Amino acid sequence: MDVFMARQPIYDVMQKVCAYELLYRADQNNTYATDVSGEVATSNLVADAIGVFGLESITSGNRAFINLTRELLLDDLPFLLDPGEVVIEILEDTVV
């Protein structure tokens, strides 16, 4: 089975990469599957980033920014993420 994800660099004020936003992708066309829920997409992304690729290799030792839905924020997933390696992004449409 093929695994896909995108990483978008985040730059500091000196234009040096300081982190990467990790994004779920459905296929090699770099598209997001509209028939996949946010919970499934993010769960797959986290599992693949940690279990398949290794977070260190994807981010070159920088932090990873990962979007979490409200449901995942209230679940156990945040406790699986090392706060020294991962920054949790809360989506702008999340009801607090």
Side-chain angles (χ1 to χ4, degrees), residues 25-92:
R25 291 296 179 255
D27 56 36
Q28 63 190 11
N29 296 321
N30 198 23
T31 58
Y32 182 88
T34 56
D35 60 338
V36 175
S37 72
E39 290 76 30
V40 170
T42 300
S43 296
N44 288 341
L45 172 80
V46 169
D48 293 341
I50 294 171
V52 174
F53 297 107
L55 201 54
E56 173 80 20
S57 68
I58 294 173
T59 64
S60 302
N62 294 301
R63 283 199 169 146
F65 282 62
I66 300 175
N67 293 310
L68 294 187
T69 63
R70 182 178 195 281
E71 290 75 16
L72 290 175
L73 284 168
L74 298 174
D75 199 14
D76 291 334
L77 184 64
F79 298 106
L80 301 175
L81 305 173
D82 181 342
E85 296 178 339
V86 177
V87 176
I88 295 173
E89 289 189 81
I90 300 173
L91 299 170
E92 56 274 354

